[in-house]
Structure formats: C-alpha cells, structure tokens
Amino acid sequence: MIKVGINGYGTIGKRVAEAVTLQDDMKIVGIVKTKPTYEMRGAIDANYPVFASTKNKIPFFESKGIEVSGVTEDLVNLADIIIDCTPGKLGVNNMEMYEKAGTKAIWQGGEKHEPIGTSFNSLTNYSESIGKDYVRVVSCNTTGLSRTLYPLLNEYGINNVQAVMVRRSGDPKDSDRGPINSIEPVLNVPSHHGPDVQTVISDLNIQTMAVKVPTTIMHVHCIIVELESEPDVSRVIELWDNTPRVDLIEGFLHNEGNKIRNLPGTAEIMEWARDSLYTRGDLNQIAVWKDGVHSFGNKLYYYQAIHQESDVVPENIDAIRAMCNIESDSFKSVEKTNKALGIN
Ligand code: NAD
C-alpha cells in the first residue's frame, strides 16, 4: 500500500484524496489544511488524519474541535508520496522540504515545468515518470488538449495545431474571482497552454490563444488541426471513441426532420454528469461534440469541453503508480484507475 499525503486540500486536493481512497494499492495517511474552514467536512467524514500547515495554526483547529495529528513536515515524513495541491506557484517552494525527507512529490499544473523537470499525462508520456521522485501533472487544459491530439498524431501525423481556449473565470466555489460581466482575452500569444502541451508531447507544433468568460463550470476549446494526410471524420470519431477518458457527446438529436437540443453546451454536459451519478457530479473525461467534428482538406476542426475541477484527478493516480514503480504499463494503470473511479 502506497502511503499518500495531500498537501493543500482544496478543489484538486480533496478530489485526489477521494480517488486515492477508491484504489486498492494506495491509501491516504493525512491531509494538510491551513485553516479549519468548511472544506474540512469531507476530510473529517472520511477520517483522514488532519495536519496543520504550521505549528501556530494548531490551536485554531483545536478550538473548532478538530484533532490535529501534526504539521506538514510530520505528514511529509510519514508519507511515501505527497500530492502537492497548494495554490499555483506556491507549491514548488515545498520542494526542499520533500527533498529533506526523501519523500516523492507530485505537483499540479499551476507550477512551471522547469523546476520539477518531468511533466505527466497518462496517455502521452507515462513511462517518463516511472521511478521519478518529482513530477508535475499538467493543467486541466493541457490534459484535455493532450488526450484528443495524441491519437490524431499517432494515426495521421500533425503539421500544426491552432486552438482557442474559452476559459471559465473561476471554480464554482470561487466567489472572489471574475470577470462577472466581461470577456477578457489573454493578450500574450501564444498563451501558456500550447508550450505546456509540448512538455508532454514533445515537438508538437501548436499555438494557442485564450479568453476568460464569466462562467464557472467548464472550459471549451475550439481546435483546428492541420494533419499530414486527409482525415476521415468517422475514423477520427472512432479513434476518440477508443481513447480512454474521452467521451463523445451529441449537441443535437435529429428526429423526423426536427433538431432537438441534447447537450449543446456546458450547462447540459454538467447536468448529464450529475445524472450519471459521477462523484460530486464531476466529469473526469473530456467531452467532444461528435456533431462538431468537421474536416476541409487536411484540416480537422473540433470543439471539446473540459471539467477543470476533475479531469486531472485520474492522472494523479496514474502518476503515483508510475513514480512508485507499482505499474510500468500505462494502459493497465489507466484501466485500473478508471474502473475504481467508474469512468470509461
Ligand atoms: P484551491 O485554492 O482550491 O486549493 C488550494 C488549497 O491549498 C486551499 O485549501 C488552500 O487553503 C491551501 N493552501 C494554501 N497555502 C497552503 C500551504 N502553505 N500549505 C498547505 N495548504 C495550503 O486550488 P486548486 O484549484 O485546488 O489548485 C491547486 C493546484 O491545482 C494549482 O496548481 C492549480 O493551478 C492546479 N489546478 C487547478 C485546477 C482548477 O481548475 N481548480 C485544475 C487543474 C489544476
């Protein structure tokens, strides 16, 4: 049993903790919180040992009746591997602490690739993380782009990718994020997403742009791929149908000449995830609109939706298996993780 500690129990941390608990080859030995806020609820119900981020915070937890098992360093010493889910750009400061304890660590997409040295996606470069001490699971957007581009690269070869990320402004719980009534473009081109995909699919020729919109539930990607040969749309759909963690959805249904709204947008997709009884109503899979896939010559056009809070969760589980040398075959790990999480 791999002993897993979670440092930073927010949007990603609590989901990775739940996913670890569902596996039979790893377990949670503790979670670190900075404050005894409402997000403690899940940790307490699941009986995870709670560690305070620093010693001076312990009385605050105790004043709320929460038993504290120690501080961050104690959890780091206890665990075989730490999943660092602290806010982006903060987590990498913990590397020295992990090094000192000889504990492996996984960071998230808010960190830069360089200081960590290895970036991870289950489908594209699992083997690079086998036995590694420090790995970064790429961001939600990069995970989504990688999952659908990689099968195209293998089947057709890719000359160039151009993609626009329509990004949610904050997560549903983030009432302090904006914009509320504005659409904000990222004025640097390429946006960081394209170069980030290159950390898990090297040599891919990709440029990205991004705009932030006032929604909280999903990102949408508009993607144009210039392939090395002319694609057949039905073959492309078949490829994605056979790709783990990609779900093909239909925006509209057609009946006797009528066009019926089915899953035309992100609101309906998240309702469908809730109807499917996925944990928390999350959608770990990337949703690709089957009726939005088109080709003109060598160019393929498609749209996909990313549930930013959850698509990276299964990748964290696979990264643990690779780094701790418990599975060298990516497909076996992906299959095991998916089965435990109830996803395809
Ligand atoms: P979050 O703000 O929801 O959670 C971060 C948690 O870390 C909070 O509970 C915060 O209190 C805690 N924290 C802050 N300082 C800490 C410290 N010193 N020690 C321990 N805990 C501390 O953030 P998140 O959305 O879960 O993001 C975590 C990482 O995951 C970031 O790198 C982010 O870029 C990445 N990520 C986020 C999303 C997303 O959409 N939310 C998607 C993919 C990747």
Side-chain angles (χ1 to χ4, degrees):
M1 273 287 197
I2 301 296
K3 291 182 280 176
V4 182
I6 306 282
N7 189 13
Y9 191 73
T11 302
I12 301 297
K14 61 189 170 189
R15 286 173 167 80
V16 175
E18 285 167 2
V20 167
T21 305
L22 292 169
Q23 313 301 315
D24 62 11
D25 48 3
M26 55 188 81
K27 63 173 183 182
I28 293 292
V29 290
I31 64 108
V32 179
K33 277 286 289 164
T34 50
K35 302 174 276 297
T37 56
Y38 76 97
E39 283 188 304
M40 292 298 316
R41 176 64 196 262
I44 290 164
D45 287 352
N47 282 323
Y48 301 143
V50 174
F51 293 75
S53 52
T54 51
K55 206 170 169 185
N56 62 342
K57 303 243 171 98
I58 295 177
F60 189 15
F61 284 87
E62 289 176 340
S63 74
K64 294 287 169 198
I66 296 166
E67 193 186 322
V68 177
S69 300
V71 291
T72 311
E73 284 81 355
D74 297 320
L75 179 60
V76 172
N77 283 320
L78 180 66
D80 298 316
I81 186 162
I82 291 287
I83 316 300
D84 192 306
C85 303
T86 56
K89 300 186 184 68
L90 259 189
V92 79
N93 301 330
N94 295 322
M95 189 181 269
E96 212 178 306
M97 175 171 45
Y98 304 147
E99 267 172 350
K100 214 166 138 192
T103 303
K104 291 177 184 275
I106 296 177
W107 285 268
Q108 307 304 313
E111 307 301 329
K112 289 203 178 338
H113 167 82
E114 287 71 24
I116 297 161
T118 306
S119 290
F120 180 88
N121 174 265
S122 305
L123 188 66
T124 65
N125 71 339
Y126 182 99
S127 62
E128 282 177 33
S129 293
I130 291 175
K132 286 273 166 71
D133 287 336
Y134 305 124
V135 165
R136 159 185 172 265
V137 168
V138 290
S139 74
C140 49
N141 282 306
T142 305
T143 298
L145 288 167
S146 304
R147 280 194 198 152
T148 53
L149 288 171
Y150 195 63
L152 300 176
L153 178 69
N154 287 338
E155 178 84 359
Y156 295 101
I158 290 177
N159 282 333
N160 177 245
V161 180
Q162 301 196 324
V164 178
M165 325 280 104
V166 182
R167 296 181 47 206
R168 63 89 179 98
S169 55
D171 289 335
K173 68 169 188 182
D174 295 334
S175 59
D176 55 348
R177 297 274 290 266
I180 287 177
N181 184 26
S182 179
I183 297 174
E184 282 181 14
V186 171
L187 299 176
N188 289 333
V189 177
S191 65
H192 72 273
H193 309 92
D196 205 34
V197 175
Q198 291 162 335
T199 66
V200 290
I201 312 179
S202 53
D203 303 329
L204 187 72
N205 180 16
I206 176 168
Q207 297 83 38
T208 50
M209 296 172 81
V211 289
K212 212 158 36 153
V213 296
T215 179
T216 61
I217 51 180
M218 290 187 112
H219 305 300
V220 167
H221 297 170
C222 316
I223 304 171
I224 305 173
V225 192
E226 191 189 310
L227 298 161
E228 284 176 8
S229 57
E230 203 166 314
D232 170 33
V233 166
S234 56
R235 173 67 187 140
V236 168
I237 287 172
E238 187 185 13
L239 282 176
W240 285 330
D241 209 14
N242 293 325
T243 303
R245 301 176 188 160
V246 172
D247 270 3
L248 289 155
I249 56 165
E250 286 176 291
F252 292 87
L253 304 179
H254 298 271
N255 185 39
E256 296 174 352
N258 294 322
K259 198 173 162 189
I260 296 152
R261 285 169 68 86
N262 183 48
L263 295 166
T266 54
E268 290 85 354
I269 295 172
M270 290 318 297
E271 181 69 359
W272 170 64
R274 288 190 286 268
D275 288 349
S276 305
L277 301 180
Y278 290 128
T279 311
R280 293 176 180 276
D282 283 351
L283 189 67
N284 301 116
Q285 304 92 308
I286 307 306
V288 181
W289 279 276
K290 208 168 161 178
D291 36 354
V293 186
H294 304 278
S295 72
F296 301 100
N298 282 13
K299 285 191 177 168
L300 184 77
Y301 297 72
Y302 66 100
Y303 300 95
Q304 62 183 22
I306 314 292
H307 186 223
Q308 77 280 352
E309 296 171 282
S310 71
D311 69 331
V312 298
V313 170
E315 315 296 295
N316 274 272
I317 302 298
D318 294 332
I320 295 171
R321 287 209 185 91
M323 293 167 69
C324 296
N325 289 308
I326 47 175
E327 182 54 75
S328 58
D329 183 331
S330 61
F331 289 101
K332 284 191 183 154
S333 180
V334 166
E335 204 180 333
K336 189 172 169 66
T337 307
N338 285 1
K339 196 167 171 214
L341 299 184
I343 59 180
N344 61 8

